[in-house]
Amino acid sequence: MNYLFFTNTPAHVHLYRNAIAELEARGHETLVLARDYGCTLDLLDYYDIPHVVYGELATSKYSLARQLPSHYVTILREARAYDPDKIFGVGAYAAHAGAAIDAPVVLITDSENTHLDHAISRPFADAYLTPHTFDKDLGEKHHVFRGFKECAYLHPDEYEPQSDVREELGVGPDEEFVVVRLNAFGSHHDVGQAGFTPEKRRRLVAELAEDATVFVSDEGEEMDFSETPAREFDLHPALLHDALAEASLLVADTQTMVTEAALLGTPAIRSNSFVGDGDMGNFAELEREGLIFNRREFDAVMETATDLLGRSGVAREWARKRETFLADKVNLTDLVVEVATDPTRLASLPTKRTHDRMPTGASV
């Protein structure tokens, strides 16, 4: 069979890369339609994934609206030429491609607040797959799994370090280091949202550097490293998870990497305008489990970071929390492959509505 995957962001590459490899190992054909955004193409090349670029996206706000028409022209042309048996994606691009060529579409999403995308995707999607924490009902085609989308590549059955990242970074075996992740806020769901201001970024790095070596991954590439006591994370982006797994702490105003840190057993502090009432269910659960901290106010970010870096035994504590948390979570790669190859698999999954009526703690 032929399967078409959409990777609009680097996170989507990780979401589907292991399923693509497994499907190809079973003799199926795959193709990725990719957007040139951030390090998406670097990751596709690193993992040797066949792909066609349908367009690019700058990290500036509203750039998507300007480039959308050309994106769709290329997507529809390539989808018709490939003629897939099934399409996997995250949102509107995949849904609309499926509708145009009459192919079934499965969307995996974990962001409740992408309301516009849901509105324009839902009529054309054959199924949604979301984490069990997803706090929104997308209708009768909405199925849930116990875990997060990051379980496709950071589940213990899937993740293996690719490098001696400490040597790659130039840090000692016992040297504490912190990863700071800064968001460009250029995606459509980021419009109107914000994270650390330039002033707070400088203060954050300066204060963290008093207790640990600091590496900054800046999506918008705006930080001037000549004027800050931090080092740029300049390894290949495919090694970022290895760095997260070894780090003492992640501080971020972005989203996905916070979940990734939690699933790797690394304490994480998340701070942006999404934090607060109406926040996404996955971050609420990870905080309840003691794996991350959601802090809207900057002073609370610094207080929490200082406390974590000053405590002993944090790494062992978080390793135990990670093991306990992941014990009943699905390997999402296995599930994607099953949904791709077994036409009955989706029907065996609970819908959002039936899942919400299950006893607390029931597995999916």
Side-chain angles (χ1 to χ4, degrees):
M1 296 180 71
N2 291 353
Y3 297 99
L4 179 63
F5 294 84
F6 279 80
T7 61
N8 308 328
T9 71
H12 301 169
V13 178
H14 291 302
L15 170 61
Y16 289 121
R17 61 180 170 84
N18 291 331
I20 290 169
E22 178 61 24
L23 289 168
E24 290 188 341
R26 296 187 184 191
H28 300 287
E29 298 291 331
T30 68
L31 177 67
V32 166
L33 284 181
R35 184 168 63 189
D36 184 359
Y37 175 74
C39 61
T40 301
L41 302 187
D42 292 331
L43 290 172
L44 289 168
D45 289 337
Y46 182 90
Y47 293 112
D48 196 24
I49 296 173
H51 62 277
V52 172
V53 178
Y54 67 75
E56 63 179 351
L57 178 64
T59 56
S60 59
K61 284 181 171 62
Y62 311 113
S63 58
L64 178 61
R66 295 191 299 272
Q67 296 163 336
L68 202 59
S70 64
H71 289 181
Y72 270 105
V73 169
T74 304
I75 285 169
L76 295 180
R77 182 183 69 241
E78 296 295 336
R80 287 194 181 102
Y82 185 63
D83 192 25
D85 296 291
K86 189 170 288 186
I87 297 175
F88 287 87
V90 173
Y93 286 138
H96 297 164
I101 66 172
D102 194 26
V105 177
V106 178
L107 302 180
I108 300 178
T109 186
D110 65 350
S111 298
E112 294 96 331
N113 53 22
T114 54
H115 303 298
L116 176 60
D117 189 79
H118 296 155
I120 63 177
S121 301
R122 190 163 65 175
F124 308 103
D126 292 86
Y128 273 98
L129 279 175
T130 75
H132 65 291
T133 56
F134 193 85
D135 193 23
K136 185 177 182 179
D137 187 349
L138 295 174
E140 61 184 14
K141 298 179 289 185
H142 179 180
H143 299 268
V144 300
F145 60 91
R146 190 160 187 81
F148 301 128
K149 76 178 193 306
E150 292 80 7
C151 289
Y153 54 99
L154 295 181
H155 189 277
D157 293 341
E158 294 291 336
Y159 174 70
E160 291 185 8
Q162 302 174 67
S163 67
D164 182 351
V165 78
R166 284 185 171 272
E167 183 176 337
E168 297 270 3
L169 289 170
V171 297
D174 299 318
E175 183 177 348
E176 286 202 295
F177 69 90
V178 177
V179 175
V180 173
R181 172 62 170 175
L182 303 175
N183 198 346
F185 290 92
S187 297
H188 72 277
H189 53 263
D190 291 329
V191 173
Q193 304 295 337
F196 297 125
T197 64
E199 179 184 355
K200 289 177 179 176
R201 291 180 175 193
R202 289 190 292 270
R203 179 183 162 194
L204 172 67
V205 169
E207 295 194 22
L208 290 174
E210 294 178 4
D211 298 308
T213 302
V214 180
F215 291 93
V216 176
S217 172
D218 181 8
E219 185 181 43
E221 300 181 346
E222 296 176 350
M223 177 162 282
D224 183 355
F225 287 92
S226 67
E227 299 180 357
T228 182
R231 294 159 59 183
E232 182 179 7
F233 182 85
D234 57 2
L235 303 186
H236 193 284
L239 302 182
L240 185 56
H241 298 135
D242 292 357
L244 276 182
E246 287 288 319
S248 300
L249 175 67
L250 168 73
V251 182
D253 62 7
T254 186
Q255 313 278 42
T256 298
M257 276 183 59
V258 173
T259 306
E260 292 173 335
L263 299 191
L264 289 165
T266 298
I269 303 170
R270 168 177 170 262
S271 182
N272 53 41
S273 56
F274 290 104
V275 173
D277 294 340
D279 202 352
M280 286 165 271
N282 56 328
F283 296 113
E285 170 149 322
L286 289 171
E287 185 163 46
R288 285 194 299 269
E289 296 293 330
L291 286 162
I292 72 166
F293 302 88
N294 296 304
R295 299 287 188 263
R296 192 177 181 101
E297 299 301 324
F298 185 75
D299 287 345
V301 171
M302 296 313 309
E303 181 180 349
T304 304
T306 300
D307 174 65
L308 286 167
L309 291 174
R311 284 165 50 186
S312 61
V314 169
R316 291 190 299 274
E317 179 185 352
W318 254 256
R320 290 193 297 270
K321 290 179 182 180
R322 171 186 184 256
E323 183 177 3
T324 299
F325 181 73
L326 286 173
D328 66 344
K329 303 304 183 291
V330 302
N331 179 336
L332 184 55
T333 285
D334 287 348
L335 181 57
V336 169
V337 171
E338 291 167 4
V339 169
T341 58
D342 181 355
T344 69
R345 186 63 175 100
L346 270 174
S348 70
L349 293 172
T351 65
K352 172 65 176 173
R353 295 167 186 177
T354 59
H355 177 269
D356 285 350
R357 295 195 292 268
M358 288 181 175
T360 302
S363 62
V364 177

